Every structure is written in C-alpha cells, then in structure tokens.
Amino acid sequence: MTKNSALETGEAIQAKPLVEIDPAKCVACGQCVSVCPPHSIIRQEGKTPPKFADNGWCLRCGHCVSVCPTGALSHIEMAPENIRAIDPAWTPEMIEMFLRSKRSVRHFSDKPVARETLEKLLEVAAQAPSDANQQDRSFMVLTDRALIDGYEAAVIKHFRDTHDQLLASGVDPMFWKLLYIRPLLAKYDAGEHPIFRGAPSVVCAYARKDNNFGWYNCAIAMDYLMLMAHSMGVESCIVGFSFNPSEIGHKFLGLSDKYQLHSVVALGYPKYRFRRTVQRRPADVIWRS
Ligand SMILES: Cc1cc2nc3c(=O)[nH]c(=O)nc-3n(C[C@H](O)[C@H](O)[C@H](O)COP(=O)(O)O)c2cc1C
Ligand code: SF4
Ligand code: SF4
C-alpha cells in the first residue's frame, strides 16, 4: 500500500520535545492542548504548563504557537522572526471584492515580473495547506523566453499529433476535440502564443507521484500564489493545456519519475484592466440540514 503521509510512515514521530513552554508566561489555559491535531501536547495537573508527549507526532503545523494567548509557547523548529502577530485589518466586504475581482488574464504587457516579486509569491504559496502539513509541492519558475517558447512548442506538437491522429482514425471533422485544437494550431502557426500567451513568467508545481494528495497540495498552493499576485497587480492564468496530459510538461521540464506535474500558471502584468466584477451561476448546492 502506498504510504501517503508522514503520519502513516511514522516519520513525524519525535524522540525529543519540539515545543518549549515558558512557565513564567503560561497560564495553563489548555488551548495548545486542544488545538494540537495529533494530540501531542498533554495537559498537566493544576497550573503546571502542558508538556510535549514522549514520542509525540508533530506536523509542524504551528497551531500551538499560533493559539497561545500569552506567547509562552515556542516550537524549536520555528524561528521567532518567522512568526508574526495576526492583525485582521480586513473586512469580509474587502475580501469578497478582492476575490471577485480576480480574472484569468490572457493578455500580458512586456514588463517582466521582478525576481523579488516572484520570490514573495512563492513564499506565500508555501504557506498553503497541505496534507498532514507535508508541504509536498515543489515549484519550477520559468522566466527565460526561449524556455517558455520551447515548452509552448512541445505542447503544440502534442496537439498537432493528436489532431492528425484523430483525423487519420476517421473521426468526424467536427469532433469536439478537433474543434478546440484547430484554433490553437491556427493561432500558433500565425505567430501567436495561444498556450502561454506571451507571459514573461511561468510557474509549474509538482509533487511526489506517490502522494495521493499531491494534486491538491499543488492546486491550493497555486491558488495562494495567484491571489497574492493579484494583490500585487500581477495577474495570472492557469494553463491547463500545458499540464493535461502532464507527460508533455513533465518531459520538457526534465522532472524525475518520482514526481508528477500538477499545475502550471502563466504570470505577468496585465495588458488590459478589468473594471467590473462578473456574473457566475449561483452555487450548485444540496442542503441537508
Ligand atoms: C489535501 C489535503 C488533505 C487534508 N486532509 C486533512 C484531514 O483529513 N484531516 C485534517 O485534520 N486535516 C487535513 N488537512 C489539513 C492539513 O493537515 C493542514 O493544512 C496542515 O496541517 C497545515 O495546517 P494549516 O492548514 O493550519 O496551515 C488536509 C489538507 C490538505 C491540503
Ligand atoms: S506544531 Fe502542530 S503538531 Fe506540532 S506540537 Fe504544535 S500543534 Fe502539535
Ligand atoms: S496555550 Fe500557552 S498559555 Fe495556554 S496552556 Fe498552552 S502554553 Fe500555556
């Protein structure tokens, strides 16, 4: 059976306590005990501070550090300078407008995205949830024009081959697959970039092939990345053509067999500014109250 997480493999078991509690600051409220997902922080008698369980599991989720009301608790693998107080200065209305204002952008200006900006986006993407906090999603960033164009050429070749094979097999020329492939090939042959849209940067996310949740880890990290980008005026589009099927990108990027490519996003400054929100169908929901 495939082992899917550090929890299953036991890799997360700790021989030594990872959590330190300053008894002078601890008020024995028990919140760290309550929130620890693998129940590795144990309550003690009376006002004695809790302690990390012998051979406890630790996901490195940081919930204990985050929840402590007095700042008494620290995690030995989490540097204090990387832990910031949360000041919820946003309103639901602001967040809603922010989310509704994001569009998939397919026309980019020539302005490159600065390395520091890309680094910030990846830093935030790495904060996204992941199964058992394994953080199993890795990124490859393409900013080299020739590399992006080469990837695009590989994707186009795949579509051209598919197109020709379908026609040769005698399918109806109006078959839906041919209908979406044909315009891509026509645009490409006319000198356009129908896959990566001329974006100055492309971010690819991949995870271990043996992780059943790898696709989700990649998808949600890329969502964080795209939303952070949107907040900074950098826009994006998920380029499904470039990772479905994933083998083309996998091969082009030179990923090892250990990994699977799950997401590819084009990033850049937008050529056009979207000024209004759009309408979507209402959520399709079944309520079972
Ligand atoms: C694909 C995926 C599956 C998850 N499955 C579970 C789960 O079954 N039970 C659970 O308690 N948390 C689950 N989580 C939450 C993770 O454990 C959590 O994201 C991780 O520990 C990091 O904590 P954070 O989200 O608070 O930053 C899952 C997260 C992801 C992305
Ligand atoms: S980091 Fe998470 S798993 Fe580890 S002790 Fe703290 S709450 Fe528990
Ligand atoms: S959350 Fe902080 S104050 Fe409360 S018991 Fe844990 S260490 Fe002590």
Side-chain angles (χ1 to χ4, degrees):
M1 193 183 76
T2 305
K3 299 284 186 202
N4 193 43
S5 74
L7 278 179
E8 284 177 62
T9 58
E11 285 160 17
I13 293 175
Q14 298 307 313
K16 58 175 182 177
L18 295 183
V19 159
E20 289 172 348
I21 297 176
D22 180 349
K25 289 188 186 166
C26 177
V27 293
C29 66
Q31 293 183 55
C32 55
V33 175
S34 299
V35 300
C36 176
H39 312 290
S40 295
I41 304 180
I42 301 171
R43 193 186 278 279
Q44 303 295 294
E45 286 294 315
K47 290 285 172 195
T48 308
K51 67 165 200 158
F52 190 81
D54 295 339
N55 297 321
W57 275 334
C58 180
L59 304 180
R60 278 77 170 171
C61 67
H63 285 201
C64 50
V65 180
S66 181
V67 81
C68 179
T70 63
L73 189 151
S74 54
H75 191 288
I76 64 170
E77 292 183 3
M78 298 181 191
E81 62 269 25
N82 293 333
I83 311 289
R84 293 186 233 164
I86 299 170
D87 173 18
W90 55 85
T91 64
E93 292 77 16
M94 282 164 58
I95 298 296
E96 180 182 346
M97 179 49 84
F98 172 70
L99 293 171
R100 282 176 177 264
S101 68
K102 184 192 166 298
R103 300 270 68 80
S104 295
V105 163
R106 300 183 180 87
H107 300 86
F108 297 97
S109 78
D110 293 334
K111 183 180 167 185
V113 183
R115 173 74 178 240
E116 308 81 69
T117 306
L118 291 167
E119 282 172 358
K120 173 55 77 179
L121 301 183
L122 292 159
E123 180 193 325
V124 173
Q127 302 293 313
S130 60
D131 70 291
N133 199 34
Q134 292 195 80
Q135 299 164 64
D136 172 33
R137 32 32 192 183
S138 303
F139 305 95
M140 193 180 287
V141 184
L142 315 182
T143 55
D144 180 80
R145 183 78 269 148
L147 207 51
I148 297 171
D149 288 349
Y151 192 172
E152 177 143 359
V155 174
I156 288 291
K157 179 179 181 319
H158 161 75
F159 280 120
R160 206 182 295 280
D161 291 347
T162 307
H163 178 271
D164 294 351
Q165 281 159 14
L166 281 169
L167 273 189
S169 71
V171 299
D172 182 341
M174 297 307 279
F175 179 52
W176 66 272
K177 263 195 181 174
L178 292 174
L179 291 184
Y180 82 70
I181 293 177
R182 238 176 250 134
L184 286 179
L185 299 181
K187 281 196 171 138
Y188 187 76
D189 292 343
E192 293 181 37
H193 293 284
I195 305 298
F196 293 118
R197 318 272 178 185
S201 2
V202 169
V203 180
C204 314
Y206 56 98
R208 286 195 335 262
K209 210 176 249 175
D210 67 359
N211 184 350
N212 299 340
F213 287 124
W215 67 275
Y216 199 111
N217 296 343
C218 289
I220 197 161
M222 290 295 238
D223 287 343
Y224 269 47
L225 180 139
M226 288 188 286
L227 289 169
M228 186 65 197
H230 181 47
S231 80
M232 298 169 80
V234 176
E235 299 297 351
S236 56
C237 190
I238 301 165
V239 188
F241 288 137
S242 67
F243 63 94
N244 181 26
S246 67
E247 289 73 25
I248 309 148
H250 190 111
K251 192 169 163 211
F252 181 81
L253 299 170
L255 298 181
S256 92
D257 286 347
K258 198 177 142 194
Y259 297 110
Q260 177 146 11
L261 179 65
H262 288 295
S263 178
V264 178
V265 159
L267 277 177
Y269 289 93
K271 189 168 171 189
Y272 306 113
R273 183 174 151 225
F274 290 106
R275 294 158 198 279
R276 290 167 203 89
T277 62
V278 299
Q279 184 178 332
R280 295 281 185 255
R281 286 196 301 273
D284 179 19
V285 185
I286 296 172
W287 294 93
R288 303 186 67 179
S289 309

